[in-house]
Amino acid sequence: MTRTIAAFRAGQWRTSLDTEELPGGLGGLRLALVPEIVADADRQRWAARAPALPAPDPAERRELVLRAVELFRHGTVTVGGLGAQSAESFRTALWETAGVPAPLTVRWGAMLRASAADRPVPDADDALALVALPGNTFTCLDSVLDQAERSAAVWVRPSRREPLSAARLIGALLAVGWPPERLGLYPTARRALPGLILRTDRQIVYGGSGLAASVRDRPSLTLHGPGRGCALVPAGLPVAEAVDWLLPLIAADAGRFCRNVRTVVCEGDPGPLAAALATALDAVGPGRADAEWPLTVFREPRAAERAVASVTAGLGPGDRLLTRGPVTVAHPDGGVYALPRLVLIGAGEGEGDGGPAAHRPEHHPLVGHEVPFPFAAVLRAGKRTADAVADASLFVYRAPDRKEHEAAHDH
């Protein structure tokens, strides 16, 4: 039986003649896509309707947000096209379509709740906001909650690889009494995203470097692009201590967060640390429900192989792949795990701070390289290279014995 996750527009769940099948084992599950011409008509309808809506109360909005998040995490929510969905059914559906294991769904839900509770109550305005979500984690739904509180209305463009969490959050907000006119779920084809950006007043967009290049110049848009997370390891830090510090930074959340470490910059000899870290990453295995660092399954055909191939393609002369486990492992119910990878860059080449700019270590294709599984490149660098890597990183982690544990660098 074919089921279609509905769009939510003009205050109602609605189907579409344009649909797309979701990946994974839920045979027949599809997603309704909203054509650009329909979004344009909805924007005009909103402009006519908005002035008549009563002004929202900020304290009431915060109360509704927190109730909605608890319902999202633990309750039964009505989702357009799917009907009543329990928390267990949501976890199962997320596993079967997006390959996210239940422990990660639980963890990410707790992170969503903590972020919503800790954020200051924002001042409200009359903007129509757009949040375009990624497919790697639903913790980015925090931006939806933030914009729902501060905006006159929020439209959500979910990832077509993982629309279930966004649809469930819209259903949870509706269930606790959020005004339907102030919400929208607008799944679209990739080519329709610029149209949504043009038809909204404020935009929060998640995406990779290609998307970043196409939308970065719009003043009303906040882009959450590649994080290029790096860790700076001082000389003399004991190897065991360094591994204990770095392993969760690389492997937590299945390596899918923009703040995961992708580059480990060593002030001293990186060899012993890289070897020990590779051994620790080889022990991060798939398929265990009690695993400390659970991995996700790639449900789209060849997606895991393409992600791993992007690492192999970046290897240059003198680079060494230190992890020894298999590249991928098939799941018996379908889909493929990509296992953690660790690369030692320029083995035996010293600091590498000199030479033409194009050949400097910070320009190596695997420095800051982001893939949706645990991966990091390790290199030795002097101060100039370390500063260059840090300056290009949104998330910079310093060893625990330093005063500053983490700093965020603005681009």
Side-chain angles (χ1 to χ4, degrees), residues 182-271:
R182 298 188 182 276
L183 293 173
L185 183 70
Y186 282 77
T188 69
R190 175 68 178 270
R191 64 181 180 275
L193 177 57
L196 286 179
I197 291 173
L198 290 172
R199 289 170 175 83
T200 50
D201 304 317
R202 179 169 55 240
Q203 304 84 26
I204 311 296
V205 176
Y206 292 83
S209 56
L211 176 61
S214 67
V215 301
R216 70 169 71 250
D217 294 331
R218 188 171 178 86
S220 61
L221 186 146
T222 299
L223 177 68
H224 295 281
R228 296 175 61 87
C230 74
L232 306 180
V233 182
L237 184 66
V239 168
E241 182 180 335
V243 171
D244 288 344
W245 169 52
L246 291 169
L247 182 61
L249 294 178
I250 297 169
D253 301 298
R256 288 187 167 225
F257 282 13
C258 63
R259 62 175 178 262
N260 280 114
V261 163
R262 308 298 181 174
T263 309
V264 179
V265 182
C266 297
E267 185 179 15
D269 178 10

Side-chain angles (χ1 to χ4, degrees), residues 14 47 56 62-63 132 152 161 167 172-173 178 184 191 222 233-234 269 279 299 333 337 340 379 407:
R14 299 173 185 266
R62 172 52 57 90
E63 171 71 19
R161 286 179 293 143
L173 286 166
W178 204 274
R191 64 181 180 275
T222 299
V233 182
D269 178 10
T279 298
R299 297 297 191 189
D333 295 333
Y337 290 102
L379 72 156

Side-chain angles (χ1 to χ4, degrees), residues 9-12 41-55 126 128 152-153 155 178-183:
R9 38 172 296 271
Q12 296 182 41
D42 287 350
R43 168 68 208 215
Q44 296 180 46
R45 184 182 296 111
W46 164 252
R49 172 70 174 137
L53 294 176
D126 59 357
L128 171 59
W155 288 3
W178 204 274
E181 302 93 341
R182 298 188 182 276
L183 293 173

